[in-house]
Amino acid sequence: MASVSDAPSHAERRRATEHESFLAHKGMRWLKIAIGLSVAAILGYAFADVEPRPNGGTWYGYTLGTIGALLIVWLALLGVRKRAMTEGRWSLKAWTSAHVYLGLALLVIATLHTGFQLGWNVHTLAYGLMVLVILSGIYGITVYALLPQRLSSNRREMTKGQMLESLAAIDRQLEQAAQPLARDDADLVIDALDQDPFAPGLIARLTGNYRHCRTERALDALAGPMDGRAATLDPAHERVVVLLRKRDGQLEQIRRHLQLRAMLEVWLYIHVPMTIALLAALTAHIVSVFYYW
Amino acid sequence: MADCPPNAIKRGADGEVVIDETCIGCGNCQRNCPYGVIRMDAKPPPKASLFSWLLFGAGPGPGEASYAWRKKHTDPEQAKVAIKCDMCSGIEGGPACVRACPTGAAIRVSPEKFLSVARLAEKTD
């Protein structure tokens, strides 16, 4: 018995070592490097003797600014690296791990570079864009860490294609089953079948809150009189209600899938364009600093 | 494989099935594949670089180009040949899907380990 109970824990351990997340890559090597870099920058800021006060224009400010600018350019190159499938022993996971942790360290380095002098100018614009990019990135790693598990438990071993096929099968049965209903009731079912159940836009997609869902409306109208006296309903009506419930459940699974997928992707629509804007603002910041030396 | 006229489809040392360049595009292997992993396709046309797409909008952009774009830009004389995943055999660095996975979700496991991972997944569900 002992050997049987030992087996899963052994397998669990092995699987855990093989499936290593980008956040834990190589014993969190990049987290340690990022912490070291941030601590060094903070200590330097505390002990560097600069006159008249810490800001971007002192020798220490220029050092931090150079490191920060190089980091921004290198972090942005992840988008190039992931599309350049060259041969050789490299892994994008290591790049992503370094991207995440060095990106977080950048927040410390750039903030110290500003010397906490912010204003309404192109320099603070570059800083603000950088903060926006990093915050959207923090959202990104949070959802990457939390949501995939919910995505697979919601799938229940079905692919999206199979979910849509199942919906189409329910729709065909529903159309048949609604034939004997009275005109008003049949219209409710036809309305539900005619509606594109996934259309209503970004907010509904992200919140999973689909108002005006005609399937739910039909269910409310048809199932309402059924409560309490189910036995007295005619079988055709009851069959339609059962099928509408099935359709509602299937819609919910697909909508949940779409919601999770949208939450996993939506941040990139901020992260990537803001990175391009940041590179432009950073160029303006550097050029203007040296132009008005 | 018995039905392959030029004997182009073979099994490699690690169990991977490889189709070599002698393929004549007859389609027998695609029709007989029990897993549906073989498809017939022409070599895709070269794409514009990432930067010329980003800055000047050249080409179809990152990712696999759409079927319509590939059809328009492929030489119509070029024959379709059988293609399938051969675990990137002959490419240094191993399977490109594993190297390209940013989150560590895609990994390679040996066949005997794979069975134990699959069993475990069933137990924990």
Side-chain angles (χ1 to χ4, degrees):
Chain A
M1 278 311 283
S3 64
V4 174
S5 62
D6 280 346
S9 67
H10 175 69
E12 189 78 65
R13 213 166 35 240
R14 192 177 65 201
R15 192 169 69 154
T17 54
E18 279 176 355
H19 250 140
E20 189 187 50
S21 147
F22 64 102
L23 293 172
H25 175 74
K26 295 259 185 214
M28 305 215 166
R29 172 190 290 171
W30 289 102
L31 173 65
K32 291 168 190 163
I33 294 175
I35 289 175
L37 197 62
S38 307
V39 169
I42 292 169
L43 288 179
Y45 187 84
F47 292 109
D49 192 12
V50 292
E51 289 296 330
R53 55 149 296 161
N55 75 24
T58 65
W59 68 266
Y60 191 65
Y62 277 120
T63 310
L64 288 179
T66 309
I67 296 172
L70 290 174
L71 264 179
I72 287 173
V73 171
W74 181 81
L75 291 166
L77 284 175
L78 179 72
V80 179
R81 173 79 270 197
K82 70 183 247 187
R83 293 181 173 89
M85 283 309 303
T86 53
E87 291 191 22
R89 303 213 160 270
W90 61 280
S91 101
L92 195 67
K93 194 171 85 171
W95 271 71
T96 315
S97 189
H99 179 90
V100 165
Y101 291 120
L102 294 180
L104 291 171
L106 177 65
L107 195 56
V108 177
I109 291 168
T111 305
L112 296 177
H113 169 66
T114 65
F116 303 95
Q117 291 175 310
L118 302 171
W120 296 103
N121 50 41
V122 73
H123 316 296
T124 303
L125 173 70
Y127 179 75
L129 287 171
M130 187 207 73
V131 172
L132 205 58
V133 171
I134 295 175
L135 289 181
S136 62
I138 291 173
Y139 168 84
I141 44 176
T142 313
V143 292
Y144 273 30
L146 298 177
L147 295 190
Q149 218 162 14
R150 281 167 59 190
L151 198 64
S152 30
S153 60
N154 178 62
R155 278 199 314 120
R156 296 194 291 273
E157 308 204 356
M158 281 169 99
T159 63
K160 194 167 85 180
Q162 286 168 335
M163 292 178 205
L164 291 171
E165 273 168 28
S166 152
L167 182 69
I170 295 171
D171 284 2
R172 277 194 301 274
Q173 293 176 40
L174 201 52
E175 202 172 3
Q176 288 290 322
Q179 300 295 336
L181 292 190
R183 182 74 253 171
D184 288 353
D185 292 348
D187 279 347
L188 284 169
V189 176
I190 292 169
D191 267 358
L193 290 178
D194 280 347
Q195 188 186 30
D196 177 355
F198 310 114
L202 182 70
I203 302 293
R205 179 70 59 96
L206 281 173
T207 57
N209 182 13
Y210 289 74
R211 292 181 301 150
H212 314 299
C213 173
R214 293 187 197 156
T215 304
E216 278 170 22
R217 203 174 64 191
L219 199 53
D220 286 345
L222 295 176
M226 218 172 133
D227 293 336
R229 49 188 184 99
T232 61
L233 265 181
D234 67 285
H237 194 119
E238 200 178 317
R239 183 166 154 69
V240 168
V241 170
V242 168
L243 282 170
L244 276 174
R245 286 220 170 92
K246 267 172 96 174
R247 184 174 206 260
D248 196 37
Q250 187 55 66
L251 277 181
E252 184 159 328
Q253 186 193 22
I254 299 173
R255 284 171 176 166
R256 186 116 195 97
H257 183 83
L258 293 177
Q259 181 196 10
L260 292 168
R261 288 293 302 268
M263 286 167 83
L264 282 166
E265 282 171 22
V266 70
W267 64 283
L268 285 166
Y269 288 89
I270 297 171
H271 198 71
V272 177
M274 285 300 129
T275 300
I276 307 278
L278 167 61
L279 289 172
L282 184 70
T283 310
H285 161 64
I286 294 171
V287 169
S288 64
V289 161
F290 286 104
Y291 187 77
Y292 295 110
W293 182 277
Chain B
M1 195 184 85
D3 275 344
C4 180
N7 200 20
I9 184 165
K10 297 186 186 77
R11 191 176 283 281
D14 293 325
E16 76 277 16
V17 173
V18 183
I19 302 170
D20 67 26
E21 66 281 1
T22 59
C23 174
I24 55 170
C26 68
N28 279 350
C29 55
Q30 185 205 22
R31 282 188 293 278
N32 288 321
C33 178
Y35 306 106
V37 296
I38 302 178
R39 65 177 171 137
M40 309 299 295
D41 219 334
K43 193 178 170 191
K47 288 200 302 183
S49 75
L50 178 66
F51 281 105
S52 43
W53 167 77
L54 195 65
L55 299 174
F56 309 110
E64 188 179 15
S66 69
Y67 177 74
W69 187 88
R70 279 183 287 144
K71 197 165 171 61
K72 196 176 159 197
H73 291 83
T74 308
D75 175 12
E77 297 296 304
Q78 196 190 2
K80 287 183 174 179
V81 291
I83 49 174
K84 72 176 289 296
C85 168
D86 53 11
M87 320 248 172
C88 292
S89 86
I91 290 176
E92 200 209 328
C97 55
V98 175
R99 278 179 291 143
C101 176
T103 60
I107 56 168
R108 286 283 312 143
V109 289
S110 57
E112 64 276 12
K113 274 187 187 175
F114 175 71
L115 290 176
S116 68
V117 170
R119 257 206 308 277
L120 178 75
E122 272 174 17
K123 269 185 193 166
T124 51
D125 275 349

